[in-house]
Amino acid sequence: MLVRLFALVIVAATPAVAATPSAGQQQSSMASDANEKICESIPVIGSRLAKKRVCATRAEWEEQRRQDRQAVDQIQKQIAGPCSVVANKNIGAPSC
């Protein structure tokens, strides 16, 4: 799961190769075919040059992105701990 998180961070940090379509075009293309096969090159962690080509359907990519978002949210919640860091108005300290 940690490797998947790092891969997500690396993919998010790399610039897009192709121009991104406008919002209207993106919605129509996504609604067109959930079973369309899409291939992406994902950088291999630990290498500056190696990339792995991964192919999946549009629906599978969307599910993978949803799972990655959930993993990131879960990790961020664990890091924050049970207390929310909200300054106490009276003393300026975090309140639990």
Side-chain angles (χ1 to χ4, degrees):
M1 184 163 104
L2 189 58
V3 172
R4 187 181 290 171
L5 175 63
F6 285 122
L8 174 66
V9 171
I10 290 172
V11 170
T14 57
V17 176
T20 57
S22 67
Q25 291 173 341
Q26 189 175 12
Q27 287 178 348
S28 64
S29 67
M30 287 182 71
S32 63
D33 187 13
N35 293 324
E36 178 184 1
K37 202 72 133 159
I38 298 173
C39 296
E40 292 185 10
S41 294
I42 299 176
V44 175
I45 295 176
S47 174
R48 294 186 317 163
L49 303 175
K51 293 188 178 193
K52 181 179 178 183
R53 188 164 174 89
V54 179
C55 296
T57 64
R58 188 177 301 276
E60 290 170 336
W61 281 115
E62 184 58 36
E63 176 64 18
Q64 182 65 42
R65 287 186 177 98
R66 186 188 65 75
Q67 289 176 359
D68 290 342
R69 279 192 304 268
Q70 281 183 333
V72 170
D73 289 343
Q74 183 180 10
I75 290 171
Q76 288 176 343
K77 287 177 185 177
Q78 288 175 353
I79 291 172
C83 297
S84 61
V85 183
V86 177
N88 188 331
K89 294 178 184 176
N90 297 330
I91 58 174
S95 62
C96 292

